[in-house]
């Protein structure tokens, strides 16, 4: 009986899967700055094939990784004109569908933007709400944070922004 219970508990534990994501985009003039689906007033924006939403891209890769479904470059190649200037929240919604189809529920994601400027924290609630809606979870399941890099490296020099993310999935039984 005890052995059965231990085996059941081990199965329960292995139902959880974690993933990590990371992304970088260059800051350029003449582009809008979109982070977590929020347009932030700034003199420059992120360059990329899609809307270059570096935060949402890191979250998507964390989710795909947790489900062992490769990365966003595989699912949404930047050679494909369908994703040109694409709304990354729509892509995130598609990623949510993919992980659910693979048999997982999203327990939570957490993400961090690395940017020297502008100040991002006033936009956290709107970003959480956008990502939660796209992923079909509650806003309290989506952590959004930001840090400067103390003027060091490419984010610190304002050459670009980076984002990292983690995701926790639970396999449906
Ligand atoms: Mg990207």
């Amino acid at each position: 009986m005890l052995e059965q219970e231990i085996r059941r508990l081990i199965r329960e534990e292995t139902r959880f899967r974690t993933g990590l994501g990371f992304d970088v985009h260059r800051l350029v003039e003449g582009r809008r700055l979109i982070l977590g689906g929020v347009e932030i007033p700034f003199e420059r924006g992120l360059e990329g094939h899609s809307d270059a939403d570096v935060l949402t891209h890191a979250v998507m890769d964390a989710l795909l990784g947790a489900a062992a479904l490769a990365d966003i470059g595989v699912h949404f190649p930047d050679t494909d004109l369908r994703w040109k200037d694409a709304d990354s929240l729509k892509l995130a919604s598609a990623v949510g569908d993919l992980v659910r189809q693979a048999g997982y529920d999203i327990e939570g994601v957490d993400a961090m933007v690395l940017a020297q400027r502008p100040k991002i924290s006033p936009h956290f609630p709107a970003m959480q709400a956008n990502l939660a809606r796209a992923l079909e979870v509650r806003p309290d399941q989506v952590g959004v944070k930001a840090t400067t890099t103390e003027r060091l490296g490419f984010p610190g020099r304002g050459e670009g922004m980076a984002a990292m993310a983690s995701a926790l999935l639970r396999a449906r039984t």
Side-chain angles (χ1 to χ4, degrees):
M1 275 311 278
L2 182 61
E3 193 183 333
Q4 271 183 349
E5 180 62 7
I6 289 168
R7 284 185 194 282
R8 189 186 68 78
L9 286 170
I10 289 170
R11 267 203 313 277
E12 295 249 305
E13 284 192 20
T14 53
R15 283 182 6 215
F16 291 99
R17 305 280 293 268
T18 66
L20 65 87
F22 179 73
D23 195 24
V24 171
H25 282 268
R26 188 186 295 272
L27 271 171
V28 294
E29 286 178 7
R31 290 273 300 186
R32 298 182 306 156
L33 175 59
I34 313 272
L35 291 173
V38 177
E39 183 168 350
I40 298 175
F42 193 51
E43 68 260 20
R44 288 177 298 154
L46 295 172
E47 182 181 52
H49 184 69
S50 67
D51 62 6
D53 185 337
V54 69
L55 167 61
T56 300
H57 293 181
V59 168
M60 288 162 67
D61 263 347
L63 288 163
L64 289 171
L69 289 172
D71 60 39
I72 56 176
V74 169
H75 292 275
F76 312 104
D78 64 8
T79 50
D80 190 328
L81 285 175
R82 270 183 303 169
W83 318 125
K84 175 134 177 54
D85 298 320
D87 176 351
S88 293
L89 286 180
K90 290 215 176 87
L91 306 184
S93 172
V95 164
D97 290 342
L98 280 171
V99 301
R100 278 186 289 273
Q101 281 159 18
Y104 298 100
D105 288 324
I106 300 169
E107 286 290 313
V109 299
D110 185 27
M112 170 85 94
V113 178
L114 286 72
Q116 195 64 40
R117 277 193 327 122
K119 197 167 182 58
I120 295 171
S121 54
H123 307 284
F124 286 167
M127 293 172 177
Q128 281 177 285
N130 283 345
L131 286 165
R133 203 179 313 113
L135 300 175
E136 298 176 33
V137 297
R138 300 184 313 273
D140 68 2
Q141 291 172 286
V142 180
V144 176
K145 316 182 294 297
T147 184
T148 70
T149 57
E150 299 289 337
R151 305 199 173 279
L152 293 168
F154 69 86
R157 292 189 296 268
E159 295 166 5
M161 291 185 181
M164 53 181 80
S166 70
L168 181 68
L169 302 181
R170 180 203 291 262
R172 273 192 306 275
T173 48

